[in-house]
């Protein structure tokens, strides 16, 4: 809700808030997608002579799996979780992909750029032991949060301990990969991680909803 300017000045409640004149109406979802072909009477799913489901493009008003995406990345119900991760978070952008396609390489570039702008490194004033992250290292540190989501710990840093050091929250697999310097390296990752180019200018809050 909007806070009147007089109320802001009297009660000192903080910066004044603004309403937006624009109204956003979400259009009704109506699209086409590849769906299993069904018999027009029995509604049973049809199969070809090889025993594979027959798909055809049909109109739909509900969210359904994007089979074009699944087939593009060769995914199926027995795919390893890492295969799904690589489909949504590819390490590098392929030549035929859109230039704006998301990839871990962009996150790594923005992370290292933010560290340079923060004057990190041997000649800087913060984190003198900082060295640029590689794409693989960035992917590993993101994987720590996925692991913590599956097996939560009070602190993410606890995952870097061995099972001998911390039988409850420790993880030997993580400890063997990151070593004894894993906690410090992850602190650097948290400090400089960026989801967008740090060189972009912040938009004016009066003209945008961001």
């Amino acid at each position: 809700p909007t806070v009147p300017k007089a109320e802001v000045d009297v009660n000192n409640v903080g910066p004044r808030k603004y309403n937006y004149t624009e109204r956003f109406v979400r259009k009704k979802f109506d699209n086409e997608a590849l769906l299993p072909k069904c018999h027009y009477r029995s509604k049973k799913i049809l199969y070809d002579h090889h025993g594979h489901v027959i798909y055809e493009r049909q109109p739909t008003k509900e969210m359904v799996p994007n089979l074009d995406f699944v087939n593009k990345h060769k995914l199926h119900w027995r795919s390893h979780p890492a295969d799904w991760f690589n489909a949504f978070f590819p390490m590098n952008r392929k030549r035929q992909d859109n230039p704006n396609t998301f990839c871990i390489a962009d996150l790594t570039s923005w992370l290292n750029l933010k560290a340079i702008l923060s004057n990190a490194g041997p000649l800087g004033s913060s984190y003198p032991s900082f060295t640029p992250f590689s794409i693989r290292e960035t992917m590993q540190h993101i994987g720590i949060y996925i692991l913590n989501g599956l097996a939560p710990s009070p602190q993410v840093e606890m995952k870097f301990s061995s099972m001998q050091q911390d039988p409850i929250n420790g993880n030997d697999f993580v400890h063997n990969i990151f070593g004894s310097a894993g906690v410090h390296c992850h602190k650097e990752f948290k400090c400089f991680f960026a989801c967008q180019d740090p060189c972009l200018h912040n938009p004016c809050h009066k003209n945008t909803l961001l």
Side-chain angles (χ1 to χ4, degrees), residues 7 11 40 74 81-82 85 99 117 127 129 131 146 152 158 160 167 169-171 177 186 208-209:
E7 185 177 339
N11 299 328
Y40 72 98
K74 300 179 181 179
F85 181 89
L117 296 175
Y127 291 102
S129 62
T131 56
I146 298 177
M158 292 181 174
F160 294 92
N169 296 295
N171 190 293
I177 291 178
H186 191 67
T208 181
L209 293 175

Side-chain angles (χ1 to χ4, degrees), residues 38-53:
C38 299
H39 192 272
Y40 72 98
R41 286 186 179 178
S42 62
K43 303 301 180 183
K44 293 183 178 180
I45 297 178
L46 300 179
Y47 297 85
D48 58 16
H49 59 281
H50 294 293
H52 300 151
V53 177

Side-chain angles (χ1 to χ4, degrees), residues 18-25 205-209:
Y18 296 88
N19 279 339
Y20 294 91
T21 57
E22 295 85 359
R23 295 188 63 186
F24 299 91
V25 180
H205 72 278
K206 293 184 179 180
N207 301 327
T208 181
L209 293 175

Side-chain angles (χ1 to χ4, degrees), residues 143-205:
I144 291 294
Y145 288 98
I146 298 177
L147 174 62
N148 192 61
L150 298 174
S153 296
Q155 292 182 344
V156 179
E157 287 77 7
M158 292 181 174
K159 297 295 184 187
F160 294 92
S161 301
S162 64
M163 295 291 292
Q164 184 177 3
Q165 297 170 337
D166 189 348
I168 298 177
N169 296 295
N171 190 293
D172 288 336
F173 181 75
V174 175
H175 180 75
N176 293 333
I177 291 178
F178 289 92
S180 58
V183 174
H184 181 77
C185 186
H186 191 67
K187 288 181 179 179
E188 296 177 345
F189 173 82
K190 292 193 298 182
C191 180
F192 302 119
F193 181 74
C195 291
Q196 67 177 18
D197 190 347
C199 292
L200 294 177
H201 295 286
N202 293 328
C204 178
H205 72 278

